[in-house]
C-alpha cells in the first residue's frame, strides 16, 4: 500500500511566516526522503533560481487522513544543503545541544482567535459583544464559540502524539488557547508548528480561519500571546535558580523583546494583563509583570517561571533559543 505523507514547512513571508504543505506518496516502509519546492512562490527564492530543499526533521501520524498516513515537518535548506535564511530551527538545535546537560523544558501557551468572514467568531456583525469578563474558561452558547473545532483539534494533537497539555477559552470572545509542553528546546517548536498546522487545517473544514495575530481587535479587547514557561533541571530543584533566571532575562530585555513576535508593542501596552514592552519586571503571581513566578513555585521553593512577553505570532524556535542561551550560560558561569 502507498502512504500519504504531508510535507509541512515554514515559509519566508514577512513579518510573520506562514505554514505551507504538499503531499508526497511514499512506498510502504519508505523513510520520508529529502524533497523540493518552488521557493519563488513562498518568499524563499527569486524566480531565476527558485529551488529550495525540504529536509524532514520530525514525523508523526496524520490524524486528518488516518491509517498509515503521516505528517512530515521539514526544515528548509538551500540547494547546497546549507540552512536557508528562513530556517530558524538549525541555530536552536545547536544551542540545545550545547546546553543539553541542563535539561531545559519548555511549556508554551498558544493563544489564537477564530475568524469567520474576517470577524471574530461569535461577534455580532457590525457591532460588539458584551465587555470581557464571562468568556475566559466560559461555558454556554452565549459565551463560547468554536468549541467543536477546539475539541477536534485537541483530539487530532493527541492522535498525532504531540505533547499537548491542555486547552481553554480565552478572555476575548472567539479567542482560545492550547498548551504544548513540557517538551525539549527543539521539540517544543516542532510540536508547536505541527499543532498550528493542524489548527488551520481542521478549522478549514468548518469554514473558519484561525489567526495568531497578537492584537486582532484594537481597543479594549485582550491581545493574543504565547506565554513561555521554562525550567532547567536546577530550577526544578532550587528556587534561587528560578530567581536567577528571571534576573538574567531582564538583562537581555531589549535584545529579546524585538524577537518575541512582530507587533509586540501593539500587545504589550501595560493593559489587558500585560507589562509594557518598554520595561522589564518580574514578580510572584503577578500577571501584570513581564515574567511571573507561579505562587506554587514560591511555596515549593522550586519549579519553573513564565515569560509572559512572547506574542502569539512568535517563532517557538527563536524564543526557546534566546531563553536557553542566556539562562543556561548564566547558570554555567
Ligand atoms: P497559565 O496558568 O499561565 O494559564 P497553563 O496551564 O496554560 O498556565 O500553561 C502552563 C504550561 O507550563 C503548560 O504547558 C505546562 O506543561 C508547562 N509547565 C509546567 N511545568 C513546567 C516546567 N517545570 N517547566 C516547563 N514548563 C512547565
Ligand atoms: Mn494558560
Ligand atoms: Mn492565556
Ligand atoms: Mn500563562
Amino acid at each position: 500500500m502507498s502512504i500519504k505523507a504531508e510535507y509541512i514547512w515554514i515559509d519566508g513571508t514577512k513579518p510573520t511566516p506562514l505554514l505551507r504543505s504538499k503531499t508526497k506518496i511514499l512506498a510502504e516502509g519508505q523513510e520520508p526522503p529529502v524533497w523540493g519546492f518552488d521557493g519563488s512562490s513562498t518568499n524563499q527564492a527569486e524566480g531565476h533560481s527558485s529551488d529550495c530543499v525540504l529536509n524532514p526533521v520530525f514525523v508523526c501520524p496524520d490524524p486528518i487522513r488516518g491509517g498509515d498516513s503521516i505528517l512530515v515537518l521539514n526544515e528548509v535548506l538551500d540547494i547546497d544543503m546549507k540552512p536557508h535564511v528562513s530556517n530558524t530551527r538549525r541555530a536552536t538545535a545547536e544551542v540545545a545541544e550545547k546546553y543539553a546537560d541542563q535539561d531545559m523544558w519548555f511549556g508554551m501557551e498558544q493563544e489564537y482567535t477564530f475568524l469567520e468572514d474576517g470577524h471574530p467568531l461569535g461577534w455580532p456583525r457590525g457591532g460588539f459583544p458584551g465587555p470581557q469578563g464571562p468568556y475566559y474558561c466560559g461555558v454556554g452558547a452565549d459565551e463560547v464559540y468554536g468549541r467543536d473545532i477546539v475539541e477536534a483539534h485537541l483530539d487530532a494533537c493527541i492522535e498525532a502524539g504531540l505533547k499537548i497539555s491542555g486547552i481553554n477559552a480565552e478572555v476575548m470572545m472567539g479567542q482560545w488557547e492550547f498548551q504544548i509542553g513540557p517538551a525539549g528546546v527543539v521539540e517544543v517548536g516542532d510540536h508547536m508548528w505541527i499543532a498550528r498546522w493542524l489548527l488551520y487545517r481542521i478549522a478549514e473544514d468548518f469554514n473558519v480561519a484561525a489567526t495568531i495575530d497578537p492584537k486582532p481587535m484594537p481597543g479594549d479587547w485582550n491581545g493574543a500571546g504565547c506565554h513561555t514557561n521554562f525550567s532547567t533541571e536546577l530550577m526544578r530543584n532550587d528556587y534561587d535558580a528560578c530567581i536567577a533566571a528571571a534576573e538574567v532575562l531582564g538583562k537581555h530585555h531589549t535584545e529579546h523583546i524585538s524577537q518575541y513576535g512582530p507587533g509586540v508593542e501593539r500587545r504589550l501596552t501595560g493593559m489587558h494583563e500585560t507589562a509594557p514592552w518598554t520595561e522589564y519586571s518580574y514578580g510572584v503571581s503577578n500577571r501584570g509583570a513581564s515574567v511571573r513566578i507561579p505562587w506554587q513555585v514560591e511555596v515549593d521553593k522550586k519549579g519553573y517561571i513564565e515569560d509572559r512577553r512572547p506574542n502569539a505570532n512568535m517563532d517557538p524556535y527563536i524564543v526557546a533559543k534566546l531563553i536557553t542561551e542566556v539562562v543556561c550560560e548564566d547558570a554555567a558561569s
Side-chain angles (χ1 to χ4, degrees):
M1 265 280 280
S2 298
I3 287 168
K4 295 175 194 164
E6 191 69 8
Y7 273 58
I8 298 168
W9 75 97
I10 301 149
D11 83 355
T13 301
K14 291 200 167 90
T16 305
L18 302 174
L19 282 165
R20 307 273 179 153
S21 75
K22 58 177 183 164
T23 308
K24 187 172 187 60
I25 304 302
L26 306 180
E28 202 173 323
Q30 184 189 356
E31 285 291 308
V34 161
W35 201 16
F37 68 100
D38 170 14
S40 70
S41 298
T42 62
N43 303 307
Q44 282 164 309
E46 303 291 334
H48 54 86
S49 66
S50 67
D51 283 340
C52 291
V53 175
L54 294 174
N55 187 38
V57 289
F58 174 71
V59 178
C60 65
D62 178 353
I64 307 278
R65 290 182 168 132
D68 291 331
S69 300
I70 53 174
L71 301 178
V72 180
L73 182 69
N74 296 271
E75 62 173 354
V76 176
L77 308 179
D78 288 319
I79 49 173
D80 62 4
M81 302 305 270
K82 298 214 171 82
H84 185 270
V85 287
S86 65
N87 179 338
T88 56
R89 187 183 189 275
R90 192 62 77 86
T92 306
E94 282 163 16
V95 168
E97 177 68 33
K98 181 171 176 191
Y99 298 108
D101 59 330
Q102 296 193 38
D103 198 19
M104 183 67 103
W105 295 356
F106 282 95
M108 294 179 176
E109 308 168 44
Q110 177 71 66
E111 294 178 342
Y112 61 93
T113 308
F114 286 131
L115 299 176
E116 196 176 38
D117 303 327
H119 296 267
L121 195 64
W123 284 43
R125 291 301 151 89
F128 297 93
Q132 294 183 158
Y135 311 123
Y136 171 74
C137 298
V139 61
D142 51 343
E143 275 150 22
V144 162
Y145 293 84
R147 196 188 293 277
D148 43 359
I149 314 173
V150 171
E151 289 289 334
H153 176 250
L154 176 60
D155 286 342
C157 288
I158 292 170
E159 267 179 63
L162 303 183
K163 291 185 172 175
I164 190 160
S165 49
I167 53 170
N168 59 270
E170 267 303 334
V171 174
M172 188 181 90
M173 181 191 277
Q175 201 176 67
W176 291 83
E177 169 179 311
F178 65 82
Q179 301 105 29
I180 297 288
V185 179
V186 177
E187 183 186 42
V188 73
D190 290 346
H191 288 212
M192 180 60 81
W193 282 111
I194 294 281
R196 284 177 176 176
W197 187 86
L198 283 169
L199 179 67
Y200 303 138
R201 175 63 191 81
I202 287 165
E204 186 185 304
D205 286 345
F206 292 81
N207 283 314
V208 167
T211 178
I212 54 173
D213 187 304
K215 192 78 181 181
M217 299 308 284
D220 211 6
W221 306 99
N222 272 35
C226 193
H227 297 165
T228 298
N229 304 269
F230 67 90
S231 60
T232 58
E233 188 178 16
L234 189 59
M235 289 166 68
R236 293 190 289 276
N237 291 297
D238 177 36
Y239 191 62
D240 289 344
C242 295
I243 299 297
E247 286 282 342
V248 77
L249 283 182
K251 291 192 187 133
H252 296 269
H253 176 68
T254 311
E255 165 202 343
H256 284 184
I257 199 85
S258 61
Q259 299 177 74
Y260 272 11
V264 87
E265 65 292 339
R266 276 195 288 139
R267 173 178 148 261
L268 298 184
T269 57
M271 289 168 64
H272 306 113
E273 299 170 61
T274 69
W277 67 275
T278 46
E279 276 165 51
Y280 178 84
S281 58
Y282 71 88
V284 176
S285 289
N286 187 354
R287 287 172 196 269
S290 315
V291 166
R292 178 177 66 106
I293 299 167
W295 67 271
Q296 189 71 50
V297 173
E298 202 206 21
V299 171
D300 294 346
K301 295 285 176 237
K302 61 181 180 182
Y304 65 98
I305 66 174
E306 176 192 45
D307 191 340
R308 300 173 59 80
R309 296 169 296 168
N311 263 0
N313 60 352
M314 57 84 130
D315 179 338
Y317 295 136
I318 294 178
V319 170
K321 184 193 77 167
L322 294 173
I323 293 175
T324 302
E325 246 165 16
V326 302
V327 170
C328 293
E329 184 55 37
D330 183 58
S333 64

